[in-house]
Structure formats: C-alpha cells, structure tokens
Amino acid sequence: MNQRTTTVDGRSIAWVHHTPSDGIQASGPAIVVLHGLGSSSREFRYLADHPTLRDRKMIAVDALGFGDSDRPADWPYTIEAHADIIASVIRQVTTPPVALVGHSMGGSIAIALTSRHPDIVERLIVAEPNLDPGVGTLSSHISRQSETRFVARGYQALV
C-alpha cells in the first residue's frame, strides 16, 4: 500500500492506497477502511494482501488526530466532523460510491458518513461500532483523557 496525503480545509489527511497489481483488473467499488479510537490505518494494511480482496482498490484513512494526519487544536473532533471531512477525502481520492468499512469509532464515523452523505456509500460494513455516536462508555472514558495522560497512565490502567 502506498502512503499518500490529501488536504481538506487546510488540513493534511494521510491515507494509504492499494490497487491490484500483476495485471489484475480492479473489480467492484473501492473499499474505504476507517480505524478505531487509538488506532490508525496501519491496523488494516494487511487486508490488501487477503486473497479475496486482491482485485479491489483499497483506501485506509487516518482520521484527523490519528496516525500521520494533522492534529489541529482548533478542530471539533466530533463523529460528524470526522464523517464530513472523510467524505471530502473520499470524493478527492476515488470515485464514489464506495464500500465503507469501519471498526469501533471508525464504525460510528462510517454510520454518520452514510447518513450525512448517502451518495458516497454503496455498502456499509461496521465492526464493534457505537451505534449511537457519543454513548460508548469505554470510548468516552478514553477520549476524555489527554494524549499525554493516556500514554503515561491510561493505557496501562485500561489493560
């Protein structure tokens, strides 16, 4: 998968891109993968090598504040804000509609994105999402901590 970035509203968003190789013709809609809280696109790069997905274009996005994307202090970091900016990324980097896959917080973002931008999503697949944004007990406990505090004490306490 190739690391790339795109800019939306002056913010750099990292994403990785996989296209079929070795003369394989791409089939179906592009698969866009959204990671969970405390993760990044790196978690899903192995999918591009899965035998049943080798003929699919795949894009894994680092949400703002995660992975190699910008961490703007003046951005709201709500599920809806993530959904809107990722919708812009999708429109810039591939041709909708896409198969949208989200894990945990990424699943919540995927649900909101599908609701707010239904023209972008052909298929929605979620794993362990908070079906109602903002009500995940564990996710909200983690997100209330600063990054420094979570790294220093929160992760170890969680485990």
Side-chain angles (χ1 to χ4, degrees), residues 2-3 11 17 42 47 51 61 75 91 98 112 115 135-136 141:
N2 300 315
Q3 178 82 30
R11 293 168 171 96
H17 180 255
R42 289 178 187 91
L47 289 175
V61 180
W75 199 70
R91 286 187 177 107
V98 300
S115 175
V135 298
H141 169 73

Side-chain angles (χ1 to χ4, degrees), residues 52-63:
T52 61
L53 299 174
R54 288 183 338 155
D55 65 340
R56 302 297 291 272
K57 179 179 180 180
M58 188 173 302
I59 297 162
V61 180
D62 283 342

Side-chain angles (χ1 to χ4, degrees), residues 20-77:
S21 59
D22 301 327
I24 298 172
Q25 181 67 25
S27 68
I31 299 170
V32 176
V33 183
L34 306 177
H35 62 81
L37 183 68
S39 187
S40 73
S41 64
R42 289 178 187 91
E43 183 175 339
F44 295 103
R45 292 181 185 183
Y46 72 93
L47 289 175
D49 295 325
H50 194 279
T52 61
L53 299 174
R54 288 183 338 155
D55 65 340
R56 302 297 291 272
K57 179 179 180 180
M58 188 173 302
I59 297 162
V61 180
D62 283 342
L64 279 177
F66 297 87
D68 295 319
S69 288
D70 283 350
R71 293 167 169 69
D74 63 340
W75 199 70
Y77 293 96

Side-chain angles (χ1 to χ4, degrees), residues 7 9 16 33 40 56 64 70 85 98 127 132 136-137 143 148 155:
T7 302
D9 297 332
V16 291
V33 183
S40 73
R56 302 297 291 272
L64 279 177
D70 283 350
I85 204 160
V98 300
D132 295 317
T137 306
S143 66
T148 303
Y155 179 76

